[in-house]
Amino acid sequence: MNQVHRGHIFHVAGSPTVHGATDALEYLEDGALVVDGDGRIVYCGAFDGLPEDHESWNVVDHRPGFIFPGFVDTHVHFPQTFAGDAYGGGQLLEWLNACIFPSESLFADPDFAREAAVKFCDRRIAAGTTQAMVFGSAFPHAQDALFEETRRRGLRVVSGRGVQTTGPDSAAALITSEDDAVRLVTEEIEKWHAADTGDVRTATLHVAVVPRFSLAVTTETLKNLGELYDSVRDRGVYFHSHLNENDRPGTGEVATTKEMYQVDSYLDTYDGKFLPGSAVGGKSFLGRRSILAHAVHCQDVELARMAETGTSISHCPTSQQFLGSGTMPWKRTIASGVNVAIGSDFGGGDEFLLTRVLGDAFKVHISEAGDDGISMHPAEMLFTGTLAGARALDMEDRIGNFDDGKEADFVVVDPRAWPPLQGVIDNGVRSDDPTMARDQTLFAVLMAMREPAITEVYVQGRRIDVT
Ligand code: GUN
Ligand code: ZN
């Protein structure tokens, strides 16, 4: 039977780029989202426009709640579930050494990893993150726990074990041999890719090939994983890693990577072009199921290559502030045509809730110098947290907004559950112009909501709850 969810509905309809998000913003003040028995959207429109035979349908009245598409986190670290707000006494490489490698090593204990999987899913549900590209643990049993718990809870995930074949002593427990690196990723793909339905087009569990970053693997690993990825690309397997995050002169990640790989651009290491002039080169990882996190310090040629290949950027402004990485230049990056989605990068970021991360995006981009500064439109923020993420995951035909036929992933945001939000809804100043008033309402909800305001979360039309 059809189920009708009644509320104040916001979504970015159709299939625009970020440039068209504002025109594509749809607001239904008294809206109805109708979901059929298979969990698909059969109607999204005015409540008083429901078909005449709707009297027999079950109506859930969420008013005064708002209904948004489920949020899509395109970069979040499962083995850092307990590593948020870790003090490392420095930027990226110091923090990895001091806090993250030791913290991720605790996942060697299967009980600890299982507990973390439960907590990780809880935090995702609390934040309304219905789909995510999850940077995985090095340990296969921890990845098993993540996929099992995700399935048990009715969430979606794309994930792969974080591969490391070289690194400092603090990462010793996370490092494998070259042979094991390929073997363990292959086994993960065979065990978990589309494991729930057997068909990548309907599955909720998908696997990615995830070298931690170029500095954590050898040229041999990149070559071998590139060949593996090339052989499974057609099966809808994903690629995920970090790119151009920290450029501290001399000792930062970007300089060290270029030095180690003897390349002009960091992206080359993922594009099969490492060690030019030597025999070592390989297959490219880039493509429309590839997501690279950060991309703060890209050259134009790198942005153009990502746009050309359909590779997406996961923009992580909360983490970029926490680790002093700088700011992905918004205008220049989107002008290149590359798809930019949002990522919490938890625990480099210290917020699971993507609207907080989008709020940080708003704040850092309005502060960019001179003509680079921009006041993001709330529709662009919503787009970046929903439809752009679906596109980055090559799942735009399934999720990301409330177009007919899509799978019904959505969240209910009830101001009554978070008094500061209720305050800005009831007493915030609104323009007399209806379009401006709509935009102000959307902005206020995105900026003022916190986890307690997310009172209900649905995936494929089914309600899921925090334990
Ligand atoms: N680069 C390599 N590993 C990591 C990580 O865990 N977090 C972030 N933010 N950057 C990385
Ligand atoms: Zn990260």
Side-chain angles (χ1 to χ4, degrees):
M1 188 183 49
N2 288 340
Q3 189 146 44
V4 182
H5 295 274
R6 186 176 187 180
H8 311 305
I9 298 177
F10 273 112
H11 74 132
V12 177
S15 188
T17 66
V18 66
H19 305 287
T22 306
D23 287 344
L25 179 65
E26 194 156 275
Y27 177 44
L28 301 155
E29 195 170 356
D30 184 7
L33 180 70
V34 184
V35 181
D36 71 12
D38 294 328
R40 286 187 189 280
I41 295 165
V42 291
Y43 174 87
C44 178
F47 184 79
D48 65 10
L50 279 174
E52 294 197 344
D53 61 353
H54 77 270
E55 277 79 10
S56 63
W57 300 350
N58 181 25
V59 178
V60 188
D61 193 347
H62 298 289
R63 292 174 305 163
F66 293 82
I67 299 175
F68 291 100
F71 299 115
V72 181
D73 191 342
T74 53
H75 183 64
V76 53
H77 290 261
F78 163 50
Q80 294 173 26
T81 300
F82 305 121
D85 292 315
Y87 178 67
Q91 295 189 346
L92 175 66
L93 300 181
E94 292 88 355
W95 169 81
L96 286 173
N97 258 325
C99 306
I100 296 305
F101 295 150
S103 175
E104 293 194 3
S105 300
L106 300 173
F107 282 60
D109 174 353
D111 290 338
F112 186 90
R114 263 194 302 277
E115 176 67 12
V118 173
K119 294 287 186 282
F120 180 78
C121 289
D122 276 344
R123 293 210 67 175
R124 277 191 55 189
I125 297 168
T129 300
T130 50
Q131 173 61 306
M133 170 64 93
V134 176
F135 205 104
S137 165
F139 302 104
H141 59 255
Q143 288 298 99
D144 289 346
L146 174 69
F147 282 112
E148 277 158 12
E149 185 64 12
T150 303
R151 177 161 60 186
R152 194 177 73 77
R153 305 295 283 277
L155 277 167
R156 303 174 189 267
V157 79
V158 182
S159 185
R161 67 176 295 270
V163 178
Q164 294 185 233
T165 50
T166 184
D169 289 350
S170 60
L174 309 173
I175 293 171
T176 67
S177 68
E178 299 290 352
D179 285 352
D180 281 352
V182 174
R183 180 179 61 79
L184 294 174
V185 175
T186 307
E187 286 174 5
E188 186 172 19
I189 293 168
E190 297 313 325
K191 185 166 187 183
W192 288 110
H193 190 56
D196 52 327
T197 66
D199 181 345
V200 287
R201 292 164 305 178
T202 56
T204 55
L205 307 176
H206 295 88
V207 175
V209 175
V210 185
R212 175 165 212 127
F213 65 161
S214 298
L215 288 181
V217 291
T218 65
T219 48
E220 189 183 345
T221 314
L222 279 187
K223 189 171 189 304
N224 293 342
L225 289 181
E227 277 162 17
L228 170 61
Y229 188 61
D230 199 57
S231 71
V232 293
R233 227 182 229 279
D234 289 349
R235 291 170 56 192
V237 173
Y238 291 81
F239 171 72
H240 189 39
S241 196
H242 296 93
L243 175 77
N244 283 327
E245 179 177 1
N246 181 289
D247 80 337
R248 208 170 39 190
T251 55
E253 172 215 21
V254 178
T256 314
T257 303
K258 284 181 172 170
E259 170 73 25
M260 176 172 147
Y261 282 88
Q262 295 288 296
V263 286
D264 294 329
S265 98
Y266 192 151
L267 188 72
D268 280 353
T269 63
Y270 301 133
D271 202 9
K273 294 187 198 142
F274 40 87
L275 289 188
S278 88
V280 185
K283 305 276 192 206
S284 176
F285 290 107
L286 308 184
R288 67 179 210 280
R289 282 185 294 279
S290 303
I291 301 179
L292 290 168
H294 297 291
V296 175
H297 308 286
C298 286
Q299 303 167 42
D300 287 344
V301 62
E302 295 177 288
L303 294 175
R305 180 68 180 145
M306 282 188 275
E308 176 194 4
T309 54
T311 302
S312 289
I313 290 173
S314 176
H315 178 29
C316 309
T318 307
S319 159
Q320 285 151 23
Q321 292 181 96
F322 186 81
L323 292 171
S325 308
T327 301
M328 186 203 79
W330 178 262
K331 274 190 179 174
R332 188 177 140 244
T333 306
I334 63 167
S336 73
V338 67
N339 178 48
V340 176
I342 207 75
S344 67
D345 195 21
F346 199 93
D350 58 354
E351 290 283 356
F352 256 82
L353 183 59
L354 287 175
T355 51
R356 294 299 283 154
V357 182
L358 291 163
D360 281 346
F362 180 86
K363 292 171 194 164
V364 296
H365 298 310
I366 203 168
S367 306
E368 285 191 72
D371 285 348
D372 293 336
I374 183 171
S375 171
M376 287 177 78
H377 192 282
E380 294 171 344
M381 295 165 66
L382 182 61
F383 169 85
T384 304
T386 55
L387 196 56
R391 186 168 302 159
L393 290 166
D394 196 27
M395 288 186 186
E396 203 180 341
D397 57 335
R398 297 181 60 185
I399 54 172
N401 64 16
F402 297 145
D403 287 354
D404 280 1
K406 289 205 187 184
E407 298 168 30
D409 287 14
F410 61 97
V411 300
V412 177
V413 178
D414 190 335
R416 291 171 301 186
W418 184 243
L421 174 59
Q422 183 83 66
V424 297
I425 298 290
D426 289 349
N427 306 313
V429 174
R430 294 287 179 273
S431 167
D432 292 336
D433 171 58
T435 304
M436 186 61 169
R438 172 201 72 176
D439 296 347
Q440 288 172 326
T441 298
L442 174 58
F443 187 72
V445 177
L446 293 177
M447 295 298 280
M449 68 190 257
R450 299 291 185 273
E451 271 100 338
I454 300 181
T455 51
E456 296 186 31
V457 178
Y458 292 78
V459 171
Q460 293 181 319
R462 280 189 301 272
R463 183 174 163 170
I464 54 178
D465 290 299
V466 175
T467 46

